Amino acid sequence: MLKNLIATVIVIGSLATVSVQTCAAEPHAVRQDIKLSPDVLNLLRAEMGEIAGGIQGIALSLAIADWKSIQETSTKIRASYIMEKKLTAAQAKELEQALPEHFKQLDAAFHQRAEKLGAAAAAHDPELTAFQFSRLLESCTVCHSAYAKSRFPGFSPPPRQGHSH
Ligand code: HEC
């Protein structure tokens, strides 16, 4: 069940892209931004906002060895509650079926990393927790750079400056 939660959120993001992407010729090269109905997009953004808040809290919790708080955040991330409440089972299933494979993989990796972060915190291991935290952050950037580049133009390469080799 937990696995479905964020999957649900994120899955949604892929909806509109699916029709465009699955028939596209380029298997790995070009990903497109997701295009969603306003309602669903708002849910996704709300969910992302929750996740972002949790992520920010982790930095401080780690510095002061507040392992419990990190574990709670890890659980919340894995359980992304908002979407869970608003989607019907049928919708969730439909979305799951519609997801591009690559998106599913990113989402699965994201969940795994949140879980590993929680485990590192449970072990009271600062170094491992810091490592898993960085891995979790990395999974945010990987998905955003693939599916939310318009929203976050910073994922595009920097403009060329002067001469280059
Ligand atoms: C598997 C894909 C995926 C993962 C993983 C992911 N995101 Fe996102 N996120 C998205 C997409 C797609 C959008 C763009 C939604 C849009 O078009 O506005 C987004 C948008 C956002 C936003 C903007 C929300 C708003 O209010 O508009 C924030 C903040 C955010 N993500 C934070 C995070 C953080 C922090 C992580 C990692 C801990 C993360 N996301 C992981 C797919 C992902």
Side-chain angles (χ1 to χ4, degrees):
M1 195 62 195
L2 284 189
K3 243 198 136 189
N4 287 336
L5 300 175
I6 282 206
T8 306
V9 178
I10 293 177
V11 160
I12 288 189
S14 65
L15 242 200
T17 4
V18 173
S19 54
V20 182
Q21 278 194 327
T22 49
C23 60
E26 65 286 283
H28 290 295
V30 181
R31 316 271 179 212
Q32 300 188 9
D33 285 358
I34 53 168
K35 293 180 183 59
L36 303 167
S37 68
D39 283 357
V40 174
L41 186 59
N42 281 339
L43 289 176
L44 173 68
R45 287 176 174 169
E47 188 60 49
M48 285 288 150
E50 291 280 337
I51 290 171
I55 285 289
Q56 287 173 320
I58 289 172
L60 178 58
S61 298
L62 174 55
I64 63 174
D66 183 356
W67 308 118
K68 193 160 172 270
S69 161
I70 296 175
Q71 284 177 263
E72 284 167 6
T73 302
S74 159
T75 303
K76 275 188 190 169
I77 287 177
R78 284 181 285 142
S80 66
Y81 30 85
I82 296 175
M83 298 300 293
E84 148 98 327
K85 284 180 188 151
K86 306 208 170 173
L87 279 183
T88 66
Q91 284 173 319
K93 193 177 172 201
E94 181 188 326
L95 289 171
E96 170 63 21
Q97 288 170 348
L99 253 192
E101 200 50 43
H102 181 64
F103 204 103
K104 283 184 190 171
Q105 289 165 2
L106 294 180
D107 184 46
F110 177 63
H111 279 86
Q112 279 169 9
R113 289 177 181 186
E115 194 168 355
K116 285 181 177 173
L117 173 69
H124 293 202
D125 185 333
E127 192 175 354
L128 187 60
T129 303
F131 172 71
Q132 298 298 359
F133 181 45
S134 73
R135 299 265 289 161
L136 185 64
L137 274 180
E138 186 186 28
S139 68
C140 317
T141 66
V142 171
C143 189
H144 292 164
S145 64
Y147 292 100
K149 230 177 184 168
S150 297
R151 183 73 216 286
F152 306 120
F155 284 112
S156 299
R160 286 176 162 244
Q161 291 177 352
H163 94 261
S164 62
H165 295 280

